[in-house]
């Protein structure tokens, strides 16, 4: 992996972890975290990639997602990174989300050069 690839991987390395007591307030807070984070994720990714002439696209179609990288479910997110104006991905990033009774975790599972 080149130094440019390492730099892009580091830019996209998200790890979000929340743990709290097991009660209704924690579950409510986890719902708020997830809603806000998932709404902002595309903006966050594109903001860090823009200075490098890159843009991110989250694959929304679960069937298409599974064909490209690995089996997907509602907690797996595949992001393709493109050179601005291109339609050929340079990188694939696999993120996982885990939502439990009193935990919320979002992290990069894999970074692949296309």
């Amino acid at each position: 992996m080149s130094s440019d690839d390492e730099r892009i991987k580091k830019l996209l390395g998200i790890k979000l972890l929340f743990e709290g007591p097991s009660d209704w307030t924690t579950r409510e807070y986890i719902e708020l975290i997830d809603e806000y984070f998932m709404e902002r994720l595309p903006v966050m990714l594109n903001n860090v990639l823009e200075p490098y002439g890159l843009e991110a696209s989250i694959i929304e179609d679960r069937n298409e997602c599974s064909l490209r990288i690995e089996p997907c479910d509602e907690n797996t997110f595949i992001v393709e990174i493109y050179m601005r104006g291109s339609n050929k991905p340079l990188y694939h990033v696999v993120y996982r989300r885990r939502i439990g009774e009193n935990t919320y975790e979002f992290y990069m599972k894999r970074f692949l050069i296309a």
Side-chain angles (χ1 to χ4, degrees), residues 77-94:
F77 300 89
I78 306 294
V79 177
E80 292 184 326
I81 309 300
Y82 299 89
M83 185 64 70
R84 191 176 300 124
S86 173
N87 61 357
K88 184 176 182 231
L90 299 172
Y91 307 101
H92 299 281
V93 185
V94 180

Side-chain angles (χ1 to χ4, degrees), residues 2-113:
S2 74
S3 63
D4 288 341
D5 298 336
E6 287 289 339
R7 180 180 299 129
I8 299 304
K9 180 180 178 181
K10 188 170 183 151
L11 287 172
L12 300 172
I14 298 170
K15 174 122 176 131
L16 178 62
L17 174 63
F18 172 79
E19 295 178 322
S22 186
D23 70 353
W24 69 269
T25 58
T26 300
R27 288 187 294 279
E28 185 176 89
Y29 189 62
I30 287 171
E31 288 175 16
L32 290 171
I33 290 171
D34 185 56
E35 182 180 325
Y36 184 79
F37 181 73
M38 296 312 298
E39 178 183 303
R40 296 288 190 236
L41 180 62
V43 175
M44 183 184 344
L45 294 173
N46 281 304
N47 279 344
V48 299
L49 292 170
E50 184 179 14
Y52 298 92
L54 301 172
E55 55 189 30
S57 176
I58 298 174
I59 299 174
E60 300 290 336
D61 182 348
R62 295 291 173 212
N63 293 325
E64 184 179 341
C65 169
S66 296
L67 292 173
R68 291 189 187 203
I69 305 293
E70 62 182 53
C72 292
D73 59 22
E74 65 276 356
N75 293 311
T76 302
F77 300 89
I78 306 294
V79 177
E80 292 184 326
I81 309 300
Y82 299 89
M83 185 64 70
R84 191 176 300 124
S86 173
N87 61 357
K88 184 176 182 231
L90 299 172
Y91 307 101
H92 299 281
V93 185
V94 180
Y95 291 104
R96 284 288 297 160
R97 173 181 66 182
R98 287 187 13 210
I99 301 174
E101 182 71 19
N102 64 335
T103 60
Y104 181 87
E105 185 174 19
F106 188 93
Y107 60 95
M108 179 193 293
K109 182 177 176 185
R110 293 173 57 196
F111 177 84
L112 305 161
I113 299 170

